[in-house]
Amino acid sequence: MASMSDGGIDYYADAGTVDASSIADVAAVAARKALTQDGDFLVLALVGMPARGKSFIGAKLRSFLRWSGLNVRVFNAGKRRRRMSTPQQQHHKAAFFDAANSGARDARERIAMETLDALFAYFESGEGEVGIFDATNSTKERRAAILERARRRFAPSGKTCGVVFVETICDDPHVLEANMLTKVRNSPDFEGMDEAAALTDLKQRTAHYEAAYESLEDGEGASYIKLYNFSSKVTCSLCYGRVTRVVLPFLMAVHVDERPIYLVAIAPRAGEAEYAGDVDADHDAVLGARLNAWCEALPAPPSVVFASTAPGAYAVAEGFVDGAAVVHRSDLDPFFNDPAHPWPSAHRDLAARLENVLIDIEASVAPTLVITHATPARALRAFFSRQGRREGRRGERDDRGTEGARGLEVRGRRDYGDGRGRLQRERPLAGRGRGHALSETVRQPAQVHALAR
């Protein structure tokens, strides 16, 4: 430790060091050591009552992790329940979810465990890395059974399977009502039902769950994340490793506000992964002018702008979008071709570089414009159109036969499930057919319309 001139200890100079010799056996320290290392597999088990956004969160996580380069699949207990339902059993009716109905309770547990076993089989096939278990998992008994089943399944092989519970809590009456309407209008459970009757049935189902619901607690000894009303309030316990590096920051960014996101890519220059020939000298100026005119005509022009640090991005962003805050970021810079670095490992590196800016875009609640380059734009488009790494592949040509820059508009909403956007033919936005704009509205089902004419 540093000594002061009078022979004492400089407390502040050494405030960053701690003598840990006496706390090596403290339970919290032992737990951290055990949890910091990533396991072979990861189960993200959703927790929450009906219409709390579990499927929405599951779909978001699947898209993000798959885009990051992981092999991910959602295993939904509700889908298995519907497949097993008969006209006589009617597993979708509220009475099936009554805790007092012992036969139905046993059937629900059996369906949940069969769904979990299918998730484990996905890992054992060598194909899966992350599994999202979409079920209510609303009691301590169920969650303890999940942890024990995972331990027993993988202990003989020496593999480790981490389980993190993700609970969605919604007590805002306006958000809850909107979620319920979305569920009854889109869930197969209510197909063909009158909306009022479907809402009544869903509220009865929810009341049955409320009677037996147990929120996650520290005493369960489980790793968990709690999300409150899709806002910035998050509780996290016993989560380390990739969960805190990747999953937690993304979940903190997710929200249900609807806003447009515009992606614009500058034409590739020599050395970039998608370079296809020389670019007009005035390309950036023309693109900036047309982009400025287009933004001014929008009903909701972007007020937040993320741009790369390349000279062309400065030129495009300069002097347009009055009042917009332009933030230049190196993670949006061009991706250069490297024959020694093949796909898909190159995509994983690119996704890792783009993760932070993607989370910032996801967290934005205002109209947002991103000015980047061909390969980063493709990778971002792949996320917003719910695609994996294949969609962002470098050198992939569009339906015009060019490798041109593109723009993409995405409007988020409280969609149910995991719908994908559909892409249509782009139209030139600037010089020699290498600047393109595309508008995609991510809905369920997706709707697409062209931005630039």
Side-chain angles (χ1 to χ4, degrees):
M1 307 234 347
S3 297
M4 299 175 64
S5 57
D6 60 1
I9 299 299
D10 188 343
Y11 174 82
Y12 294 101
D14 292 288
T17 63
V18 176
D19 181 3
S21 60
S22 62
I23 63 172
D25 296 325
V26 173
V29 175
R32 171 128 194 182
K33 288 180 179 178
L35 290 168
T36 298
Q37 298 301 316
D38 293 331
D40 296 293
F41 311 113
L42 175 62
V43 175
L44 297 172
L46 305 181
V47 177
M49 288 188 292
R52 263 59 177 184
K54 294 188 301 299
S55 292
F56 174 82
I57 289 294
K60 282 283 191 178
L61 281 170
R62 174 189 176 276
S63 294
F64 177 65
L65 295 174
R66 184 169 176 255
W67 173 84
S68 298
L70 295 170
N71 293 317
V72 188
R73 188 179 297 173
V74 176
F75 292 80
N76 187 291
K79 288 184 178 180
R80 182 175 291 268
R81 168 178 54 79
R82 282 186 285 271
R83 288 199 301 268
M84 296 176 62
S85 181
T86 67
Q88 292 74 31
Q89 292 174 318
Q90 294 193 332
H91 287 171
H92 63 288
K93 294 294 186 180
F96 182 74
F97 303 91
D98 188 348
N101 185 338
S102 59
R105 184 179 63 247
D106 292 343
R108 292 199 309 274
E109 290 302 313
R110 184 176 65 256
I111 291 168
M113 292 302 106
E114 289 175 354
T115 305
L116 186 61
D117 286 341
L119 188 157
F120 292 157
Y122 171 60
F123 290 159
E124 292 168 337
S125 71
E127 181 183 354
E129 297 171 273
V130 179
I132 299 171
F133 182 31
D134 187 355
T136 55
N137 300 321
S138 56
T139 64
K140 295 178 182 178
E141 181 181 7
R142 164 75 70 78
R143 295 190 289 268
I146 292 170
L147 293 172
E148 178 61 18
R149 206 174 187 91
R151 186 194 66 79
R152 290 202 322 266
R153 183 78 173 241
F154 294 99
S157 67
K159 299 286 188 179
T160 55
C161 179
V163 179
V164 177
F165 295 98
V166 180
E167 182 176 8
T168 57
I169 297 173
C170 179
D171 54 16
D172 184 303
H174 300 291
V175 175
L176 186 55
E177 184 69 20
N179 285 350
M180 286 190 168
L181 283 171
T182 298
K183 188 173 182 71
V184 300
R185 290 170 180 171
N186 296 280
S187 172
D189 278 348
F190 305 101
E191 187 175 356
M193 289 182 65
D194 173 75
E195 186 170 290
L199 274 173
T200 299
D201 188 87
L202 177 57
K203 289 176 180 179
Q204 289 175 349
R205 180 192 301 190
T206 302
H208 290 319
Y209 273 110
E210 286 176 340
Y213 190 83
E214 296 172 304
S215 186
L216 280 156
E217 296 177 351
D218 291 348
E220 296 180 50
S223 301
Y224 70 79
I225 299 169
K226 287 187 180 184
L227 308 173
Y228 297 82
N229 293 318
F230 291 105
S231 65
S232 57
K233 182 178 179 181
V234 176
T235 301
C236 180
S237 178
L238 298 179
C239 292
Y240 304 104
R242 63 182 164 191
V243 175
T244 50
R245 290 195 310 270
V246 180
V247 175
L248 182 59
F250 178 73
L251 286 175
M252 293 178 69
V254 170
H255 59 85
V256 293
D257 289 344
E258 189 170 307
R259 82 286 188 205
I261 296 169
Y262 310 105
L263 300 181
V264 173
I266 301 169
R269 267 54 170 188
E272 293 183 35
E274 300 197 22
Y275 177 67
D278 293 337
V279 178
D280 291 341
D282 62 348
H283 171 272
D284 297 336
V286 172
L287 179 60
R290 297 194 65 181
L291 191 58
N292 183 29
W294 177 76
C295 287
E296 288 179 346
L298 289 172
S303 57
V304 176
V305 179
F306 296 112
S308 85
T309 61
Y314 276 94
V316 172
E318 184 178 359
F320 86 99
V321 190
D322 290 339
V326 181
V327 179
H328 288 274
R329 310 177 51 133
S330 60
D331 42 13
L332 289 169
D333 284 356
F335 188 78
F336 292 99
N337 197 9
D338 182 4
H341 200 194
W343 208 263
S345 62
H347 172 84
R348 287 193 290 268
D349 288 347
L350 177 61
R353 194 227 287 182
L354 291 172
E355 268 181 10
N356 288 335
V357 71
L358 186 145
I359 288 172
D360 286 343
I361 296 168
E362 184 71 25
S364 174
V365 295
T368 301
L369 172 68
V370 181
I371 302 171
T372 182
H373 306 266
T375 302
R378 288 182 186 277
L380 291 172
R381 183 187 70 170
F383 170 76
F384 289 116
S385 59
R386 308 282 183 93
Q387 301 291 327
R389 55 177 172 257
R390 289 187 298 274
E391 174 66 16
R393 187 170 296 170
R394 71 183 181 216
E396 176 191 5
R397 295 178 177 270
D398 63 86
D399 55 11
R400 297 175 65 90
T402 68
E403 296 188 5
R406 298 169 177 200
L408 171 67
E409 176 192 1
V410 179
R411 294 184 184 273
R413 57 157 263 188
R414 303 180 190 91
D415 56 333
Y416 182 88
D418 193 18
R420 290 181 177 178
R422 293 190 297 271
L423 305 181
Q424 70 176 27
R425 184 182 297 272
E426 296 87 352
R427 294 176 179 273
L429 186 61
R432 294 188 60 179
R434 288 192 170 86
H436 289 74
L438 178 78
S439 169
E440 179 186 8
T441 305
V442 175
R443 297 186 183 276
Q444 184 66 22
Q447 298 174 347
V448 184
H449 60 279
L451 278 178
R453 300 297 180 187

